[in-house]
Amino acid sequence: MTPKQYCQQKAAASGSSFYYSFMFLPKKKREAIIALYAFCREVDDVVDECTELKVAQVKLAWWKEEIQNLYKGKPIHPVTKALQPFIHEFSLSEEHFLEIIDGMEMDLNFNRYEDFKQLQLYCYRVASVVGILSAQIFGFNNRKTLKFAHDLGLAFQLTNIIRDVGEDARRNRIYIPLDELARFGVSEEDILRSRESGAVRQLLEFQVERAESHYDRALNELPEEDRKNQRVGLIMAAIYRTLLREIKADGAEKVLNFRTSLGSLRKLSLAFNTWLRNL
């Protein structure tokens, strides 16, 4: 299996909504974004699949060394080999890759967040940085587009947090800020034991509204001159925002016991229609 094939398989196997948008890119950009996505999957899998803290720490330390190898022109892993042709062509920063790993490391050290400010740092590292790297691959003329990518990444991560509340709770993880739980009269035990209630619904609807505000902010920040280049980001936004609204329509508290998802045909329809609107 070639590095390119390895990344393709890694990305396709994830079943992510992001993957549906990649097919609309020209070949070179598609290969670059799939390699970036495969890297994110690799480091995320370290946290999700390693039950031993020290093993996970060693693996993430290895990935930091491997990023250094990549920028020295000596990558070892199939993912970094696939990334190598693109890091200079698209001006992808070594520091940004290390920030992503730092974000994954936060998952080893934190399973609660005291307030939104603390959560925002995590979201920046695991999502906004990925958004910035993606925007560089897609191409831009106006640097304000990087602000769009930053805020859109934050909106995506907030959507993920809402969708995965129940699954995360079963891993003893609560990403919703603890001060906000207290404000709405929801205890950690309510989340961990999947207790649906009016208070939980109000708490999660508050999270939905915050995510919506970040989608609005991001979309308002995208310069008109870069809309065509950033169509893939707009496709991702259409899919993820539709998912967010489905969660609210179904009753936001249902995420404690049920994972909301969009079918493949619906994702493809959203992707195709968004692409056509931004030709």
Side-chain angles (χ1 to χ4, degrees):
M1 187 183 296
T2 66
K4 192 185 305 181
Q5 289 169 333
Y6 179 93
C7 292
Q8 181 76 33
Q9 186 179 75
K10 189 80 178 177
S14 73
S16 168
S17 299
F18 291 130
Y19 187 68
Y20 287 86
S21 61
F22 299 162
M23 64 184 71
F24 290 87
L25 285 167
K27 184 174 182 290
K28 185 183 291 186
K29 291 183 178 182
R30 185 171 65 249
E31 290 176 359
I33 198 69
I34 286 175
L36 171 61
Y37 184 76
F39 165 76
C40 294
R41 292 302 331 147
E42 288 285 347
V43 292
D44 191 43
D45 286 348
V46 170
V47 175
D48 287 345
E49 295 174 5
C50 286
T51 55
E52 292 291 329
L53 175 62
K54 289 185 178 179
V55 173
Q57 289 172 331
V58 168
K59 287 190 173 185
L60 289 181
W62 183 90
W63 272 107
K64 286 186 177 182
E65 290 180 9
E66 179 61 1
I67 291 301
Q68 293 170 354
N69 290 337
L70 168 62
Y71 281 83
K72 291 174 182 174
K74 300 175 182 179
I76 299 168
H77 195 278
V79 165
T80 41
K81 285 182 177 180
L83 278 168
Q84 189 175 22
F86 305 117
I87 56 173
H88 297 301
E89 180 169 0
F90 297 117
S91 302
L92 306 181
S93 163
E94 178 178 359
E95 186 59 35
H96 280 150
F97 284 100
L98 295 175
E99 284 264 27
I100 294 169
I101 300 171
D102 286 341
M104 301 305 171
E105 242 173 357
M106 288 180 74
D107 269 331
L108 301 181
N109 300 319
F110 297 90
N111 60 9
R112 303 288 190 277
Y113 290 85
E114 294 297 327
D115 52 33
F116 185 65
K117 183 178 180 181
Q118 189 182 44
L119 179 65
Q120 206 165 4
L121 174 61
Y122 171 75
C123 293
Y124 167 74
R125 287 173 168 172
V126 301
S128 292
V129 169
V130 180
I132 291 167
L133 289 169
S134 299
Q136 290 175 242
I137 291 170
F138 302 151
F140 65 93
N141 297 302
N142 189 324
R143 289 195 63 81
K144 289 181 180 178
T145 296
L146 296 180
K147 179 61 176 162
F148 152 78
H150 172 284
D151 288 338
L152 192 60
L154 178 55
F156 290 154
Q157 190 60 27
L158 293 175
T159 303
N160 281 339
I161 286 170
I162 296 163
R163 180 196 63 194
D164 296 340
V165 166
E167 289 183 13
D168 289 331
R170 288 183 277 281
R171 297 176 179 173
N172 192 31
R173 293 185 179 279
I174 299 176
Y175 288 94
I176 297 173
L178 297 182
D179 65 341
E180 294 174 8
L181 265 71
R183 190 191 316 167
F184 285 88
V186 176
S187 69
E188 290 185 37
E189 282 297 299
D190 290 333
I191 302 296
L192 296 175
R193 295 185 180 277
S194 302
R195 296 170 181 157
E196 297 179 21
S197 67
V200 171
R201 174 181 288 200
Q202 290 177 339
L203 169 68
L204 290 170
E205 285 181 348
F206 176 78
Q207 308 303 313
V208 168
E209 290 307 311
R210 176 160 55 207
E212 286 275 18
S213 72
H214 281 89
Y215 283 112
D216 286 338
R217 181 186 301 176
L219 294 171
N220 288 333
E221 287 166 340
L222 178 60
E224 192 62 35
E225 65 201 272
D226 281 335
R227 287 190 71 84
K228 186 173 181 179
N229 282 335
Q230 297 298 318
R231 281 178 296 188
V232 170
L234 295 173
I235 288 172
M236 294 177 188
I239 292 172
Y240 260 65
R241 203 168 193 182
T242 299
L243 173 66
L244 185 68
R245 290 171 176 174
E246 288 279 312
I247 289 170
K248 185 176 180 180
D250 289 344
E253 74 280 9
K254 301 294 183 187
V255 295
L256 289 173
N257 295 292
F258 175 77
R259 180 186 171 95
T260 302
S261 61
L262 304 178
S264 298
L265 286 177
R266 192 166 182 195
K267 290 176 185 176
L268 284 169
S269 175
L270 286 165
F272 185 66
N273 289 331
T274 304
W275 184 265
L276 288 180
R277 283 198 303 273
N278 293 280
L279 284 174

